[in-house]
Structures are given as C-alpha cells and as structure tokens.
Amino acid sequence: MIKKALLLAADSKRLERIIGRSRLTKPLVSRYVAGTTLDEAVAATRELNAKGIDVSLDLLGETVSDLRESADATAAYVDTMHALATGSPDSTVSVKLSQLGIGLDPVVCVGHLKQLLDVGAESGISVEVDMEHSSVGPQTLEAFRSQLPSHPNTRVAIQAAMRRTPEDLCSFSDVKPRIRLVKGAFLETIDKAIVDPAEVTAQYQHLAGWALQNLPDPAFGTHDDSCVELVKATAARLGISKRDFEFQMLYGVRRELQEQLAADGYRVRVYVPFGSRWYPYLMRRMAERPANLMLFLRSVVGD
Ligand SMILES: Cc1cc2nc3c(=O)[nH]c(=O)nc-3n(C[C@H](O)[C@H](O)[C@H](O)COP(=O)(O)OP(=O)(O)OC[C@H]3O[C@@H](n4cnc5c(N)ncnc54)[C@H](O)[C@@H]3O)c2cc1C
C-alpha cells in the first residue's frame, strides 16, 4: 500500500515541484545522489574506484517533454563520457530512453542512443540502457536490439518481475546480449508483472542462474543477500570466474556489502546518479524501503 503510494507519487510533477525545491530533503537526497554536477559525480567515482569499485554514471532526468531536452541530455552524457574516459576508463554510463525522447519520437531517440554508443566506442566507455515502465519497455528493448550489431558491448537492464521477461530473453537467442538483471522498480499491473515480493525474488534467482549459464558477462543489480549468495554459489558450482560477471548496486545502498564483495575479488559496479532531477529516483528508492519513509517525511515537513 505504502509502496504503491510512493510509486504513484514518483510520477507526480506537482509533488516534484514542491518537494524538489525543499532544501530540507538535502541530507536524504545526498545519501542516494552523488551531487548535482558532473564534477561531484566524478569525485564520487574516484572515491569508489579507490576501493576497487567501478561505476555507472546516471544523469538524473526522465520522460522529457520536448526534444530539445533530450538533445541537451545527450550532450550532457557526451561530456560525462569524455570526463570518465580520462580518469576512470572502466566506467559505464546508464541511460534512460525516456530521457532521450523515446516517448516523443523513437527515431530521434535511437539517433541519440547511437550518438552515445559511437562516442562510447571512441572513448572506451560502454553504455547501459536502463529499463523503465512497461509503457516504454518494448520500445526500449527494440532500440537496444537495433544497435547490437554495431555495438555488441551495450548492456540492457532486464526486470525479473515482468511476465514477458522470459519471452524477451528467448527472443535474443540469435545474439546473446549483455544484461543487468534487476527485480524491477516501477508500479506495474498484475497482468504485466509479478507483484508478490517472494515470487519476484524466486524469479530473480531462477533468471540469475540461467543468465550465468547462457549469457556473456551478466551483471546482477541487487542488494538482496539471498540473490547475491545464489549468484556466488551458482558461479562457483559452474566454475565461472569471479571476474566473468559483476554485481551492481545503487549509490548509498549497502555500502559495506559493496566493499566486502570487492575485497573478496568480485567485480562490483555502483550505479551513481547525479543531477538536479532527483525526485522520481528518490521516490523509487523510498518505495523499495518504506522504512525510509519516516526519515523522508521528517525531512519534508521538518522536525
Ligand atoms: C545497479 C542497479 C541498477 C538498477 N536499474 C534498474 C532499472 O534499469 N530498471 C528498474 O526497474 N530497476 C532498476 N533497479 C532497481 C531494482 O529493480 C530494485 O528495485 C532494487 O534494486 C531493489 O531490489 P533488490 O534486488 O535490492 O532487493 P530488495 O529485496 O528490494 O532489497 C534487499 C535489501 O537491500 C536493501 N535495500 C534495497 N533497496 C534499498 C533502498 N532503496 N534503500 C536502502 N536499502 C535498500 C535493504 O536492506 C533490503 O532488505 C536497479 C538496481 C540496481 C542495484
């Protein structure tokens, strides 16, 4: 119930205007967001790199309302990739196609994506495509698929909760894509997604085992101990090296686990969001952990 309310609130432009301006939320925002500027994101990247952890930088912002915004976001990503290429060459960037304009003009959006992939090929910084709400899911997968022949290193997020995911994965039998397996963070209806948390975890674990056996260099985007342990045990049983897959976690979430995995020799990548459009991202993080809600409400209304 609380989770649903928070996910609904994540899409409210009105609440974004009110809460986004409140300075009281700053401490909470800074737990999950590296800063508003590229310089701050690069500083967070350096700190994580010093601990043996790679990053994927995410420029906050989604569902643009005009194509100029999507061009601006693309240009900002180009700057980000150039900044990473010099100081942190094992980094990636994570892009949301709604930010690149998929809801306005899919052709323009794919053009932006291609531009980023071309810059990535020159600079050595790979691109990961986030998976958003099911209203743009199929187009996102199509856009990703269209770029695979020229940019096979691109990674796409796959949501375990979505009922169509096994079918989507089978549709890639000709090309084995690099994926980031996640549970799924969006509010979906029961016909489209598994909603029971235990069932989502079981499906995640099933797909994680399948990905380890069938896909190149899979990434496991999770903070769930049971999923992390399942991945570690399955890889060990199959004789897969700790360097042939990676764990991915969000900035500010389970930092000790991130560092422990890296110290144990696993590849770890932290998803580092930056920028001023933090509101929907933060609301989804609250929805994942309603225990944070009181903290959030206190920060909005003040103590
Ligand atoms: C690197 C990365 C990229 C992602 N990309 C996408 C994407 O493209 N599309 C998409 O739909 N979703 C994405 N997600 C979000 C994902 O779908 C889940 O919503 C999120 O990871 C929570 O699921 P979990 O596997 O961590 O398990 P959960 O069962 O939700 O959490 C396990 C434990 O992790 C901790 N935890 C989890 N979330 C939080 C939080 N917000 N604050 C504090 N502690 C927390 C808690 O201790 C919790 O008990 C991404 C997640 C990660 C890690």
Side-chain angles (χ1 to χ4, degrees):
M1 187 69 177
I2 292 177
K3 182 173 178 169
K4 190 173 174 190
L6 286 165
L7 288 174
L8 279 172
D11 288 332
S12 165
K13 295 281 176 209
R14 187 156 174 263
L15 281 176
E16 178 168 9
R17 273 195 300 278
I18 298 166
I19 294 172
R21 270 197 235 115
S22 165
R23 281 191 304 161
L24 296 166
T25 50
K26 213 171 168 197
L28 191 58
V29 176
S30 62
R31 173 180 167 180
Y32 289 102
V33 174
T36 51
T37 65
L38 176 56
D39 283 350
E40 287 170 300
V42 168
T45 298
R46 286 211 190 96
E47 265 180 48
L48 286 159
N49 287 170
K51 294 174 181 160
I53 294 174
D54 291 325
V55 307
S56 190
L57 288 194
D58 162 50
L59 173 65
L60 290 164
E62 45 199 76
T63 320
V64 293
S65 49
D66 72 65
L67 285 174
R68 212 186 42 207
E69 276 182 73
S70 67
D72 290 347
T74 305
Y77 266 114
V78 170
D79 292 345
T80 303
M81 292 164 95
H82 285 145
L84 289 173
T86 47
S88 183
D90 293 327
S91 306
T92 65
V93 290
S94 286
V95 301
K96 289 167 294 303
L97 296 195
S98 74
Q99 188 180 24
L100 302 190
I102 201 146
L104 299 174
D105 187 333
V107 175
V108 172
C109 171
V110 171
H112 290 324
L113 177 62
K114 184 177 178 322
Q115 186 188 345
L116 296 182
L117 293 171
D118 289 343
V119 172
E122 283 158 25
S123 61
I125 300 296
S126 300
V127 174
E128 310 201 11
V129 179
D130 288 346
M131 188 56 66
E132 300 176 73
H133 187 261
S134 60
S135 53
V136 291
Q139 296 97 306
T140 300
L141 219 47
E142 268 326 295
F144 166 75
R145 193 191 296 272
S146 73
Q147 299 306 306
L148 273 185
S150 46
H151 299 288
N153 275 344
T154 315
R155 178 173 264 147
V156 69
I158 294 287
Q159 297 157 325
M162 296 308 293
R163 295 190 193 280
R164 54 171 285 169
T165 283
E167 200 185 312
D168 284 341
L169 288 172
C170 287
S171 74
F172 278 110
S173 56
D174 48 337
V175 267
K176 292 186 184 300
R178 293 173 80 230
I179 69 163
R180 173 206 303 153
L181 185 64
V182 298
K183 287 186 180 175
F186 292 81
L187 184 61
E188 301 284 357
T189 49
I190 196 160
D191 56 318
K192 295 209 167 65
I194 306 166
V195 291
D196 177 66
E199 280 181 46
V200 175
T201 300
Q203 179 70 342
Y204 188 100
Q205 295 182 354
H206 169 70
L207 293 172
W210 184 87
L212 276 169
Q213 292 181 71
N214 293 287
L215 298 180
D217 192 22
F220 300 99
T222 183
H223 320 91
D224 182 336
D225 284 326
S226 73
C227 296
V228 169
E229 289 307 317
L230 180 283
V231 168
K232 283 160 67 173
T234 307
R237 183 167 49 79
L238 296 172
I240 297 172
S241 155
K242 289 176 178 177
R243 311 305 293 173
D244 285 343
F245 62 94
E246 71 183 28
F247 289 109
Q248 295 195 353
M249 298 195 193
L250 300 176
Y251 183 80
V253 179
R254 304 217 58 194
R255 287 187 179 131
E256 282 167 22
L257 177 59
Q258 297 170 10
E259 290 172 24
Q260 187 59 55
L261 287 167
D264 290 346
Y266 292 97
R267 277 167 47 209
V268 180
R269 186 177 301 281
V270 168
Y271 183 102
V272 178
F274 73 101
S276 51
R277 297 287 314 278
W278 47 261
Y279 170 80
Y281 179 85
L282 184 73
M283 294 309 278
R284 283 198 292 278
R285 303 296 74 84
M286 294 297 102
E288 281 156 8
R289 195 155 186 259
N292 287 344
L293 183 62
M294 283 319 290
L295 209 64
F296 174 70
L297 289 176
R298 251 188 253 132
S299 73
V300 173
V301 297
D303 283 321

